[in-house]
């Protein structure tokens, strides 16, 4: 099993995690006009990079959503980035 | 006897049989060594031609001696004789041979070898129809036979472990590395697949001035005293991502092994090297063995494999072997295979070896074409290999993981440099591979040779098969493997891969590294499937969730079924489903049913932004939901497809309770958490899944309020005080309860939620009140019928992967909701606007007719029929006394009253499209 | 629908224990469990905060679950809902979890059958998967005692996994 680093919990078994999406895709403002092509691109297009990737994952046991940087070929984990700061 | 035990052996005698004959071996033997000690050489038959086979080696690289082994009540197929330690009372049988390996009736197949070459399945048995021949061929193929007996208690332990340095291989290099690591204060673990340590040490006369056994014992003791751990009879069979090594710890015969999942900061590979075979005419005969194998049988088991031995070698290690074997009494003839092709003479055993015009009478041929480092685990880890011309072998090169190879595995074949290298690496220091004194004359298969020359002994792949593959353009090493099946046998090519790819290199005039190797994959040795799942099997593969009220349901005679991951009452009482379910429906419609609805989701969404958030998550408008009110709604995917339906109740200005489908609780919670943290302010929205804190009991039916009265609540639950789709919190017997007017049945319904620990009291109170009034417990199956009578859909049953809310008749938010929500834009794409979309409808057939089958297609067209949709739910309604069905049909909503054809398994019937609401369409009973 | 009532054994007696060499496991009762979520939640509980590998000696404690959530175990009574002054979302979940306590020199070894666990590797959240089930796991009283909270509906499944694993300890 791979080990992934949750920004809050630290290194954990990959089975505690869920892949959400490739990072960097922004949801268009659906209260404005959006073309069919733009919406289809939002829904369906993915980069599927070979090598370094940035992905959004959820650590299911604590619920934290975060960015995971890893290599899609070697499976090496580069690091994780919290989307949120620690509780004040 | 050709092979025999030499004096000096000691060990308790063990009795066993092979192919029905009795033999005696001793403690410490493997089945192979015990049989060799008794002069038995023919231990199996090859896969295709059924040629007699004897063990090539003494350990994991043997492809030939495969046996079914029985001991007591245990019978295991495909045990390699060379790695199965002998136990008293074992009964072994050669697989793929009948009645015995010595006399196999299918041995005659070899006469037809010209028609059975590589790929023959694709060519020889095509006409008139491959399927005519296939059953017979399948019967003849395969190794071993799995008994249908289940082994009680055969359950693999699976444990996580970790260390700083994992040393794989307990030979001299591994022992030296482990000692250095342990004495340097590192948390070290050593893994050795034999029962005892030592490996190649036992083939030496002395090591660093000591007798090998003393040297080994001293190192083992030093390792343990320094805090290191040693696992013997344990095989590291795979290396996985992030420094995880899978180790199988073997137990006694018939006991389940243990899986040790070892996470190691650093891995030292001391896995050694193998003798590779020499490819020559008739090189597959029993009695042709590896040089190292023969020396191992002598050193470890005191078995001399032959008396008149031809020692055939192209490399510098033959001298030591010759000395060792002749000291034990063998007559050795040295043959240099590089000066001319050789040929073995003899059928079930060699009688001679010829080269040029000379014939050498021998009873055994020991061959070594050079050393092949065992780099499988290196490759599992993604490590690269480099070709070494001097050694004519692939050696470990760079590795992305924290891993180093030492000793023979690294091409360091000499003892002194191997020990130095191992000690340096064990401590954690870097080491450069030293120059080697080992030398050999390159010797690879000669394509175009006459006679039959074997490459893969188990799968009967010959040099001619490789030439055939090349002629047919299967020249990539991966194609070569699959087309000829070389390297695909239970030994996974340990003795055949190098010869195979070298032959292809010669044929293609390419270098060996250019041809390359096939992908190495775990497991390195065969392992039982049990090791992969352990406890996670059968019903424990996906443990079912259990209700607080399960004991009540069992006491009431419930049949329990799995629904959405929970074990729930399907129906109650004796008489079977077909009788009980209609009875329960009639009871619930006439008086009332009491139903355990506990698995329903109860996800609280709280916070200053809760309202806006829930409004975004739902298709329906939530901002207008007042506290104390409930609204039915859909959650969509971003593609606009209905993901879940459910009701949301407003508990307060900043508090909502999402009651999603029982089967979707985990999914909905994850969905809410993902959106909460991505695109919203998570400091202002909180999601608490309280589903399992609350048990929920539904009282549904015309007299439901009378039953509720027995609870003596201090709160008014009359029709005006608590109308349909409203909600109150109150107290019952000093315990908070929540009461919701929500209906799954279409009748007056109260959903009463109470903390799980008080569920039993509430259930008993309601049953006590309801039973005298004709009410009773209601199961899932009856509830499903009542839902269908009302056209209340079940997500995933009456909706599919394309169903959008407007297909279900819910159109207002799509047209009018102005704030953003998940899936919003998708509801206006071309496909969403397609007028031919499938819509939910009812389908009716005449009373007394059989009900429609679920999955039946509504069809149109005379010659070529086209499906317009299909039946999703179908029951005989006890309430209406006729069959009813729900279906998704193209343009269904505009086809009310139309008669359509419904096709199922070749038969066509007629049905009428109707509203999906069959019962109480005005909802009078609902709003009682 | 198939009748699976015989496929699954009756729920166990709550007083059942699992005993094996160096190991004893029993069911534990708690008086109250409360989820507290909020931007400052980790600082808004008066009970000792428990992360991994903290050893807590009090029966009243707050397990850290997330950067913005704790669960008070045997904590004070609170009112469910949104506390605007404190910016806290509060939910009573007392019956949502079942508890077990494992003690003995083999307790850690047993847990390692279910999860990759190491007291030398800290983790701020006590929430993890164990035998495939979501639990909150922490050390209690001493080096060889552990407490777990598991969802009530998975109580039987966890018990079965623990007792199957315990068979390998003899």
């Amino acid at each position: 099993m791979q080990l992934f680093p949750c920004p809050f919990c630290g290194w954990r078994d990959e089975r505690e995690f869920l892949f959400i999406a490739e990072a960097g895709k922004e949801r268009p403002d659906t209260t404005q006009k959006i073309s069919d092509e733009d919406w289809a691109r939002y829904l369906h297009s993915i980069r599927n990079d070979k090598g370094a990737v940035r992905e959004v994952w959820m650590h299911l046991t604590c619920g934290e959503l975060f960015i995971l940087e890893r290599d899609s070929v070697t499976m090496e984990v580069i690091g994780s980035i919290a989307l949120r700061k620690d509780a004040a | 006897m050709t092979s025999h035990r030499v004096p000096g052996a000691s060990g308790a005698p063990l009795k066993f049989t092979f192919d029905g004959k009795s033999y005696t071996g001793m403690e410490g033997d493997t089945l192979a060594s015990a049989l060799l000690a008794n002069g038995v050489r023919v231990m199996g038959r090859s896969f295709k031609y059924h040629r007699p086979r004897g063990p090539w080696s003494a350990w994991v690289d043997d492809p030939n001696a495969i046996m079914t082994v029985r001991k007591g009540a245990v019978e295991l197929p495909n045990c390699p004789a060379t790695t199965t330690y002998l136990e008293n009372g074992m009964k072994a049988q050669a697989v793929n041979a009948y009645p015995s390996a010595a006399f196999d009736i299918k041995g005659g197949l070899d006469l037809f070898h010209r028609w059975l070459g590589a790929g023959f399945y694709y060519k020889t048995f095509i006409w008139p129809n491959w399927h005519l021949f296939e059953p017979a061929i399948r019967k003849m193929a395969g190794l071993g036979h799995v008994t249908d007996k289940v082994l009680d208690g055969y359950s693999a332990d699976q444990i996580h472990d970790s260390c700083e340095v994992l040393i794989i291989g307990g030979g001299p290099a591994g022992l030296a590395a482990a000692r250095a690591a342990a004495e340097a204060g590192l948390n070290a673990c050593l893994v050795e697949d034999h029962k005892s340590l030592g490996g190649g040490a036992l083939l030496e006369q002395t090591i660093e001035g000591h007798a090998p056994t003393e040297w080994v014992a001293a190192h083992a003791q030093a390792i343990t005293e320094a805090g290191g751990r040693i696992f013997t009879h344990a095989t590291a069979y795979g290396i996985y991502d992030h420094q995880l090594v899978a180790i199988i710890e073997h137990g006694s015969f018939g006991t389940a092994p243990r899986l040790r999942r070892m996470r190691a900061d650093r891995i030292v590979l001391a896995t050694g090297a193998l003798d590779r075979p020499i490819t020559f005419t008739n090189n597959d005969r029993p009695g042709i063995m590896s040089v190292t194998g023969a020396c191992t049988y002598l050193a470890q088991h005191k078995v001399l494999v032959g008396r008149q031995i031809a020692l055939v070698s192209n490399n510098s290690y033959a001298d030591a072997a010759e000395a060792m074997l002749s000291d034990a009494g063998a007559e050795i003839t040295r043959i240099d295979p590089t000066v001319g092709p050789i040929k073995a003479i003899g059928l079930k055993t060699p009688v001679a070896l010829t080269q040029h015009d000379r014939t050498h009478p021998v009873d055994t041929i020991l061959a070594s074409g050079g050393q092949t480092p065992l780099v499988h685990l290196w490759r599992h880890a993604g490590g690269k290999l480099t070709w070494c011309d001097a050694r004519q072998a692939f050696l470990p090169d760079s590795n992305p993981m924290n891993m180093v190879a030492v000793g023979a595995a690294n091409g360091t074949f000499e003892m002194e440099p191997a020990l130095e290298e191992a000690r340096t690496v064990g401590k954690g220091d870097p080491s450069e591979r030293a120059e080697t004194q080992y030398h050999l004359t390159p010797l690879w298969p000669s394509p175009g040779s006459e006679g039959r020359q074997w490459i893969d002994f188990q799968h009967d792949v010959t040099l001619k098969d490789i030439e055939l593959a090349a002629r047919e353009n299967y020249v990539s090493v991966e194609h070569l493997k699959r087309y000829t099946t070389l390297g695909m046998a239970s030994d996974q090519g340990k003795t055949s891969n190098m010869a195979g790819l070298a032959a292809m290199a010669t044929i293609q005039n390419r270098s060996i590294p250019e041809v390359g190797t096939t992908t190495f994959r775990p497991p390195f040795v065969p392992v039982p499937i049990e090791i992969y799942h352990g406890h996670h099997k059968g019903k424990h593969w996906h443990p079912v969730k259990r209700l607080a009220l399960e004991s009540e349901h069992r006491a009431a005679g419930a049949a329990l079924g799995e629904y959405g991951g929970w074990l729930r009452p399907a129906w109650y009482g004796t008489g079977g489903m077909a009788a009980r379910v209609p009875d329960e429906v009639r009871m619930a419609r006439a008086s009332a049913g009491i139903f355990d609805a506990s698995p329903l989701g109860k996800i609280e969404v709280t916070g200053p932004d809760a309202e806006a958030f829930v409004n975004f998550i739902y298709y329906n408008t939530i901002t207008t939901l007042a506290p104390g009110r409930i609204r039915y709604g859909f959650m969509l995917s971003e593609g606009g497809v209905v993901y879940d339906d459910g009701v949301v109740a407003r508990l307060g200005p900043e508090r909502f309770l999402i009651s999603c489908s029982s089967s979707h609780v985990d999914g909905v919670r994850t969905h809410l958490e993902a959106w909460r943290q991505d695109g919203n302010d998570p400091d202002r929205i909180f999601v608490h899944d309280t589903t399992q804190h609350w048990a929920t009991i539904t009282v549904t039916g015309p007299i439901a309020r009378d039953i509720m009265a027995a609870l003596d609540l201090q709160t008014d639950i009359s029709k005006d005080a608590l109308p349909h789709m409203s909600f109150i919190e109150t107290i019952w017997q000093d315990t908070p309860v929540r009461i919701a007017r929500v209906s799954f049945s279409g009748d007056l319904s109260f959903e009463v939620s109470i903390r799980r620990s008080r569920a039993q009291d509430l259930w008993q109170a309601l049953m006590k009140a309801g039973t005298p009034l004709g009410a009773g417990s209601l199961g899932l199956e009856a509830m499903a019928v009542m839902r269908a009578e009302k056209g209340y859909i079940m997500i995933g049953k009456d909706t599919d992967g394309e169903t959008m809310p407007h297909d279900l008749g819910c159109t207002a938010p799509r047209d009018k909701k102005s704030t953003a929500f998940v899936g919003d834009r998708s509801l206006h794409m071309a496909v969403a606007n397609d007028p031919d979309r499938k819509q939910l409808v009812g389908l009716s057939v005449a009373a007394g007719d059989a009900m429609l089958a679920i999955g039946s297609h509504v069809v149109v067209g005379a010659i070529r029929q086209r499906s317009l949709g299909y039946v999703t739910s179908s029951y005989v309604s006890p309430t209406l006394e006729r069959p009813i069905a729900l279906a998704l049909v193209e343009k269904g909503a505009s086809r009310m009253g139309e008669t359509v054809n419904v096709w199922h398994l070749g038969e066509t019937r007629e049905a009428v499209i109707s509203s999906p609401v069959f019962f109480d369409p005005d909802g009078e009973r609902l709003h009682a | 629908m198939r009748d699976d009532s015989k496929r699954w054994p009756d729920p166990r007696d709550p007083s059942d224990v699992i005993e094996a060499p160096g190991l004893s496991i029993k069911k534990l009762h708690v008086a109250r469990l409360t989820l507290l979520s909020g931007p400052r939640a980790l600082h808004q509980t008066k009970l000792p905060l428990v992360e991994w590998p903290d050893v807590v000696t009090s029966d009243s404690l707050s397990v850290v679950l997330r950067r913005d959530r704790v669960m008070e175990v045997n904590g004070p009574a609170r009112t469910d809902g949104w506390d605007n002054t404190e910016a806290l979302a509060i939910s009573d979940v007392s019956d949502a979890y079942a508890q077990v306590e494992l003690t003995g020199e083999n307790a850690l070894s047993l847990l390692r059958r279910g999860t990759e666990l190491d007291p030398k590797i800290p983790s701020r959240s006590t929430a993890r998967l164990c035998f495939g089930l979501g639990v909150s796991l922490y050390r209690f009283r001493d080096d060889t005692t552990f407490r777990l909270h598991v969802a009530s509906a998975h109580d039987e499944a966890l018990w079965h996994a623990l007792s199957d694993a315990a068979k390998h300890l003899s």
Side-chain angles (χ1 to χ4, degrees):
Chain A
M1 281 78 62
Q2 299 181 75
L3 291 173
F4 290 152
C6 166
F8 185 70
C9 305
W11 293 92
R12 293 291 189 89
D13 188 319
E14 67 174 289
R15 292 172 291 184
E16 292 186 0
F17 295 83
L18 178 71
F19 173 79
I20 301 290
E22 289 186 340
K25 212 184 232 190
E26 218 180 285
R27 187 182 202 268
D29 181 355
T30 51
T31 61
Q32 304 303 309
K33 198 160 161 22
I34 303 163
S35 70
D36 282 358
E37 289 75 22
D38 284 346
W39 186 248
R41 195 170 311 117
Y42 164 70
L43 283 183
H44 304 300
S45 80
I46 54 173
R47 296 186 310 273
N48 200 25
D49 298 317
K50 180 174 182 178
V53 294
R54 293 185 89 235
E55 299 169 333
V56 180
W57 285 74
M58 182 185 285
H59 187 204
L60 292 169
T61 46
C62 79
E64 174 114 343
L65 208 70
F66 63 98
I67 305 285
L68 182 65
E69 293 184 312
R70 58 187 200 92
D71 189 303
S72 64
V73 174
T74 65
M75 301 297 127
E76 182 197 345
V77 169
I78 299 163
S80 62
I81 302 162
L83 293 174
R84 315 178 49 201
K85 52 193 187 322
D86 258 348
Chain B
M1 297 197 302
T2 324
S3 55
H4 56 281
R5 189 95 63 188
V6 298
S10 67
L14 302 172
K15 290 198 174 328
F16 70 105
T17 71
F18 172 60
D19 279 351
K21 277 173 84 165
S22 298
Y23 300 97
T24 303
M26 61 176 54
E27 191 70 49
D29 266 333
T30 59
L31 272 168
S33 67
L35 283 168
L36 286 171
N38 281 276
V40 176
R41 298 189 135 168
V42 180
M43 297 190 197
R45 290 278 169 157
S46 65
F47 184 84
K48 202 164 41 167
Y49 303 135
H50 284 254
R51 283 167 71 92
R53 287 281 176 270
W56 158 256
S57 73
W59 200 235
V60 296
D61 50 329
D62 178 56
N64 297 328
I66 316 275
M67 302 178 179
T68 293
V69 179
R70 266 191 301 136
K71 181 172 180 244
V74 179
E75 178 178 311
L76 298 177
N78 297 340
C79 302
T82 53
T83 60
T84 304
Y85 284 98
L86 186 65
E87 291 184 20
N88 202 49
M90 269 183 171
K91 294 181 182 353
Q93 189 87 29
V95 303
N96 203 37
Y98 185 79
S100 68
F103 300 102
D104 178 21
I105 59 174
K106 289 188 195 142
L109 272 171
D110 194 37
L111 298 170
F112 298 97
H113 70 266
R114 275 198 183 76
W115 293 272
L116 299 174
F120 81 91
Y121 318 102
Y122 320 122
K123 302 170 189 166
T124 316
F125 296 99
I126 301 290
W127 183 90
N129 186 347
W130 157 247
H131 295 290
L132 285 175
F133 303 101
E134 188 182 357
I137 288 173
R138 286 203 182 280
K139 263 185 115 168
M140 300 216 300
L143 294 179
H145 170 77
V146 181
T147 156
D148 57 9
K149 274 186 355 196
V150 174
L151 279 179
D152 278 328
Y154 190 86
S155 178
D157 190 14
Q158 298 181 319
I159 187 164
H160 288 276
D161 200 348
S162 62
C163 63
E164 287 178 284
V165 191
L166 177 68
I167 300 100
I168 303 176
L175 284 162
R179 180 173 181 174
E183 288 178 343
L186 298 165
N187 181 341
C189 269
L190 173 66
V191 179
E192 163 57 42
D193 56 1
H194 289 76
K195 272 187 177 172
S196 43
L197 297 164
L202 306 171
L203 304 182
E204 303 289 321
Q205 300 279 19
T206 64
I207 303 182
E208 296 185 311
H210 294 273
T213 41
E214 268 175 46
W215 187 94
V216 169
H219 272 67
Q221 188 176 355
I223 291 165
T224 341
E225 276 170 8
R229 289 185 287 159
I230 299 177
F231 296 100
T232 51
H233 206 195
T235 312
Y237 68 81
I239 298 193
Y240 301 88
D241 295 316
H242 303 177
Q243 314 270 134
L244 184 70
V245 181
I247 299 168
I248 178 169
E249 293 174 27
H250 311 280
S252 61
F253 184 79
T255 60
R258 169 184 292 130
L259 170 63
R260 188 169 295 269
R261 293 174 158 129
M262 182 69 78
R263 191 80 63 180
D265 295 343
R266 196 154 55 86
I267 301 167
V268 177
L269 223 54
T271 43
L274 298 174
D275 254 336
R276 50 182 172 246
I278 296 174
T279 311
F280 58 90
T281 305
N282 297 330
N283 64 331
D284 70 322
R285 294 304 188 192
I288 299 179
M289 305 175 69
S290 80
V291 173
T292 309
C295 293
T296 305
Y297 279 118
L298 186 57
Q300 270 188 5
H301 303 289
K302 292 275 182 281
V303 170
L304 187 55
V305 297
R307 295 182 192 278
Q308 287 185 299
I309 301 177
L311 184 48
V312 186
S313 168
N314 67 340
N315 63 76
S316 49
Y317 280 159
D319 296 339
E322 179 177 2
M324 188 185 186
L325 294 162
S326 63
D327 279 351
E331 207 185 287
I332 312 284
T333 309
R334 286 292 290 271
I335 304 282
D336 180 353
T338 66
V339 304
I342 58 177
K343 177 174 169 176
I345 312 288
L347 288 176
K348 290 205 182 119
T349 199
V351 297
L353 180 144
T354 66
Q355 184 179 45
H356 297 143
D357 293 322
R358 289 206 54 192
T359 301
H360 306 273
V362 291
D363 58 39
T364 304
I365 300 172
L366 301 182
S368 170
Q371 297 285 301
T372 303
L374 276 167
V375 295
H376 296 62
L377 296 174
W378 187 265
R379 290 290 295 132
H380 294 172
K384 303 263 183 285
L385 298 176
T386 180
W387 176 253
C388 172
D389 263 330
R391 296 171 176 85
Q392 290 286 292
F394 286 104
L395 302 178
D397 193 21
S398 64
N399 190 299
M401 281 198 193
N402 199 351
M403 190 157 128
V404 191
V406 297
N410 194 32
T412 310
F413 298 129
E414 287 88 7
M415 186 63 72
E416 237 180 76
L419 293 177
E420 191 186 319
E421 178 182 58
R423 285 168 181 143
T424 307
V425 167
K427 274 196 322 267
D429 294 333
S431 170
E432 284 280 314
R433 180 161 46 226
E435 292 281 315
T436 186
Q437 303 295 316
Y438 162 84
H439 58 89
L440 78 166
T441 309
L443 178 69
W444 295 110
S446 273
S449 297
E450 59 153 62
R452 297 166 79 193
Q453 303 193 354
W454 264 258
I455 301 287
D456 186 313
F457 300 123
Q458 189 179 124
H459 271 184
D460 275 333
V461 179
T462 62
L463 183 53
K464 286 190 171 33
D465 289 323
I466 307 212
E467 295 168 41
L468 173 67
R471 282 200 300 278
E472 304 205 350
N473 205 30
Y474 292 101
V475 296
S476 120
V477 68
E478 299 281 4
H479 283 153
L480 166 65
K481 172 179 177 176
R482 272 85 184 173
Y483 188 66
T484 62
T485 77
L486 112 82
M488 295 177 73
S490 60
D491 65 310
Q492 289 286 285
K494 291 179 179 64
T495 47
S496 56
N497 281 343
M498 287 304 299
L501 65 97
M504 182 57 83
T506 306
I507 292 168
Q508 291 239 288
N509 206 15
R510 293 154 78 195
S511 70
I512 288 176
E514 270 179 80
V515 174
T517 59
T518 54
T519 304
F520 295 79
R521 297 187 176 91
F524 171 67
V525 290
V527 297
I529 287 182
E530 170 66 34
I531 199 92
Y532 286 103
H533 60 74
H535 156 84
H536 293 281
K537 62 177 166 243
K539 62 181 189 261
H540 301 294
W541 176 252
H542 198 84
V544 81
K545 291 177 181 151
R546 313 290 284 270
L547 295 165
L549 290 171
E550 186 180 314
S551 307
E552 294 293 320
H553 301 312
R554 285 180 183 269
L560 300 174
E562 279 190 49
Y563 294 89
W566 289 80
L567 188 65
R568 305 181 71 173
W571 66 88
Y572 293 83
T574 52
M577 182 171 156
R580 290 297 307 137
V581 171
D583 279 351
E584 286 180 19
V585 174
R586 280 187 279 267
M587 168 197 75
R589 291 280 188 225
S591 67
I594 298 167
F595 174 79
D596 185 352
S598 301
L600 279 174
K602 297 145 203 110
I603 300 181
E604 293 184 9
V605 182
T606 312
D609 287 353
E611 178 189 286
F613 180 64
V614 178
N615 197 52
F616 172 74
I617 290 290
Y618 271 94
Y619 171 64
N620 313 69
T621 301
I622 301 298
T623 47
T624 54
L625 185 66
R629 306 293 300 179
I630 301 173
R631 187 162 294 171
Y632 175 74
F634 295 109
M635 283 188 198
L636 311 181
S637 67
E638 276 281 54
V641 172
V642 177
Y643 168 61
D644 194 39
D645 70 342
V647 296
V648 54
R650 190 164 201 158
L651 276 65
E654 295 116 345
R655 264 178 104 202
F656 293 83
L657 184 66
I658 291 180
S659 183
C660 52
S661 302
S662 318
S663 55
H664 279 61
V665 172
D666 294 334
V668 167
R669 187 185 62 240
T670 303
H671 179 68
L672 292 169
E673 276 295 344
W675 280 108
R676 167 188 171 241
Q677 295 175 53
D678 187 11
N680 287 286
D681 185 349
D683 285 345
R684 295 170 63 82
I685 308 162
F686 299 92
V687 177
H688 283 176
D689 181 2
T690 65
T691 302
Q692 297 193 27
H693 172 74
W694 298 93
T696 303
I697 300 170
T698 303
V699 185
T700 171
I703 63 151
R705 200 173 272 110
D706 301 333
I707 296 173
M708 292 294 290
L711 292 181
D712 200 26
L713 297 165
Q714 299 308 305
T715 320
D716 186 357
I717 55 165
S718 66
K719 178 176 169 167
D720 294 323
L722 191 67
H724 182 57
M725 298 303 263
S726 64
F727 174 95
I728 49 156
E729 296 184 274
T730 183
I731 305 284
W732 177 71
Q733 292 193 356
D734 297 324
T735 311
V737 290
R738 292 170 170 172
I739 305 178
R741 281 247 357 234
V742 172
S743 182
F744 281 84
S745 61
D747 273 316
L748 168 65
S749 250
F750 294 88
E751 283 187 357
V752 188
S753 296
I754 194 168
R755 61 184 295 178
R756 189 185 156 110
S757 54
R758 298 233 47 216
Q760 194 176 41
D761 294 337
L762 179 62
W763 178 270
Q764 286 175 356
L766 290 168
M767 288 294 291
K768 185 164 171 222
T771 314
L773 301 175
S777 47
L778 182 66
L780 268 283
E781 293 299 321
M783 184 61 95
V785 176
M786 291 198 286
R787 284 178 74 157
E789 288 173 343
K790 286 294 294 183
Y792 291 165
I793 54 158
M794 286 200 198
I795 300 291
K797 178 176 176 13
D798 306 302
T799 69
D800 63 23
E802 298 179 326
T803 311
M804 293 183 170
H806 54 284
D807 301 327
L808 303 170
C810 187
T811 56
R814 178 177 180 228
D815 299 332
K816 299 196 196 108
K817 185 172 177 181
S818 58
T819 51
F821 58 90
V822 179
D824 51 8
R825 182 62 183 82
S826 294
L827 297 176
H828 301 282
M829 299 286 270
V831 67
N833 293 328
D834 184 349
D836 290 339
R837 288 186 63 81
K838 294 203 286 287
Q839 296 165 329
L840 182 77
V841 295
L843 279 176
S844 298
V845 295
D849 279 4
M851 66 183 194
L852 293 168
I854 293 176
S856 308
H857 286 266
V858 175
V859 292
V860 76
I863 300 156
R864 289 200 58 179
Q865 294 195 314
R866 188 173 78 80
S867 171
L868 299 175
Y870 53 92
V871 174
T872 60
S873 291
S874 178
Y875 303 98
V876 176
S877 161
T879 312
L880 304 157
E881 292 174 330
R882 64 180 173 88
I884 58 165
L886 298 176
L888 288 167
V889 179
E890 280 184 21
K891 289 176 139 110
S894 53
R895 305 171 71 154
M896 292 295 141
E898 207 180 297
T899 303
V900 290
N901 288 325
V902 182
W903 181 97
H904 181 67
L905 296 181
E907 306 222 331
T908 308
R909 338 170 26 178
E910 286 188 341
V912 178
I913 293 185
S914 65
S915 159
V917 186
F918 295 94
F919 176 68
D920 183 36
D922 298 328
E924 280 173 30
R925 293 173 64 114
L926 192 59
H927 291 274
Chain C
M1 173 55 75
R2 182 182 72 196
D3 180 3
D4 276 356
S5 46
K6 307 255 182 308
R7 188 165 194 247
W8 298 95
D10 285 18
R12 74 182 190 276
D13 188 311
S15 66
D16 279 0
V17 296
I18 297 170
E19 302 262 319
L23 175 74
S24 178
I25 310 181
K26 66 177 189 209
K27 186 180 186 54
L28 210 62
H29 294 276
V30 292
R32 183 178 291 114
L33 296 170
T34 320
L35 289 181
L36 300 181
S37 295
R40 304 184 303 275
L42 272 61
H43 305 278
Q44 288 168 303
T45 173
K46 292 193 167 59
L47 307 176
L49 280 179
V50 182
E51 303 180 356
W52 176 264
D54 302 336
V55 179
V56 63
T57 49
S58 154
D59 270 313
S60 290
L61 55 115
S62 273
V63 286
V64 175
L65 296 178
R66 308 179 170 195
R67 65 173 72 244
D68 60 359
R69 176 177 300 177
V70 298
M71 182 167 75
E72 290 189 324
V73 180
N74 296 321
R78 289 177 182 266
T79 310
D80 271 21
W82 175 249
D83 181 331
N84 207 37
T85 332
E86 298 295 313
L88 263 184
I90 301 166
S91 295
D92 181 354
V93 289
S94 300
D95 288 353
Y97 298 93
Q99 284 69 226
V100 291
E101 182 176 282
L102 295 81
T103 189
E105 62 189 19
N106 280 332
L108 179 62
S109 171
L110 186 89
L111 287 170
R112 287 214 174 109
R113 266 84 179 176
T115 181
E116 206 170 328
L117 193 66
D118 192 336
K120 292 201 281 310
I121 300 178
S123 181
R124 294 202 63 194
S125 173
T126 58
R128 57 169 61 239
L129 287 184
C130 192
F131 296 102
L133 303 168
V135 302
S136 169
L137 160 65
Y138 51 98
R139 295 162 89 187
F140 181 81
R141 190 175 55 231
D142 54 46
D143 280 345
T144 56
T145 304
F146 303 85
R147 289 189 165 181
L148 278 93
H149 302 267
V150 67
S152 310
H154 275 148
D155 184 22
E156 287 298 307
L158 179 64
W159 191 260
H160 185 92
L162 291 168
S163 79
D164 255 16
K167 288 182 188 139
H168 294 292
L169 281 177
S170 30

